[in-house]
Amino acid sequence: MCGGRTRADFRFSGGVTTRPAVVIDPAEVEFTAIRSQGAGGQNVNKVSSAAHLRFDIGASSLPEDVKQRLLGWPDQRISGDGVVVIKAQTHRSLPRNQADALARLQALLDAVLAPELPRLATRPTRASKRRRLDGKARRGEVKAGRQRVSD
């Protein structure tokens, strides 16, 4: 328990907020227009409508503790150099893909800033204990059936 509060208290009472939401400055984000993948005929081959977003965590104006949490976050979009790379190509226009990439970057930052819910210790139910023991007994019978038959 965390100070006598339950998991429901964290979920429905607004939780524990450490800080207001951190907003990313669009000037710190670098966009590159690239060609989209997949089918699409002539348009997909000649128009660069996909957006490639690059956000350098170390050079950003984020608070230091947020930078450290972001660098330690297990996400394949964060490179070893500390650069977040997001490719957006779901829309047909470049501005919409850029907005989508920015929204996904903000969602990543919000996920990093979300407080972790404390783990609540639980005990196995009587039925789950019974199922486990039944399975162990059944497995033991199978293995006992593999032994040599004595005369």
Side-chain angles (χ1 to χ4, degrees), residues 7-81:
R7 185 175 289 264
D9 292 334
F10 281 96
R11 190 174 299 132
F12 299 119
S13 71
V16 179
T17 54
T18 56
R19 70 180 59 196
V22 176
V23 180
I24 297 168
D25 183 16
E28 298 176 349
V29 177
E30 176 188 333
F31 282 107
T32 308
I34 57 174
R35 291 191 179 134
S36 296
Q37 295 176 322
Q42 297 176 20
N43 194 52
V44 76
N45 294 328
K46 64 183 182 179
V47 178
S48 298
S49 62
H52 209 226
L53 177 145
R54 294 180 59 85
F55 177 71
D56 190 359
I57 298 169
S60 68
S61 63
L62 295 174
E64 283 301 318
D65 59 329
V66 175
K67 287 182 186 180
Q68 293 306 314
R69 286 188 70 179
L70 196 55
L71 288 171
W73 195 254
D75 195 311
Q76 65 183 7
R77 297 173 292 184
I78 302 173
S79 70
D81 302 336

Side-chain angles (χ1 to χ4, degrees), residues 69-128:
R69 286 188 70 179
L70 196 55
L71 288 171
W73 195 254
D75 195 311
Q76 65 183 7
R77 297 173 292 184
I78 302 173
S79 70
D81 302 336
V83 177
V84 179
V85 179
I86 296 176
K87 181 179 180 182
Q89 60 181 4
T90 56
H91 302 288
R92 290 182 57 139
S93 69
L94 181 62
R96 287 183 69 187
N97 281 327
Q98 287 176 339
D100 181 40
L102 271 176
R104 285 163 48 193
L105 178 62
Q106 186 66 49
L108 173 67
L109 190 60
D110 292 343
V112 168
L113 291 175
E116 292 185 26
L117 291 177
R119 184 188 181 281
L120 298 178
T122 58
R123 296 178 63 186
T125 62
R126 186 177 298 149
S128 68

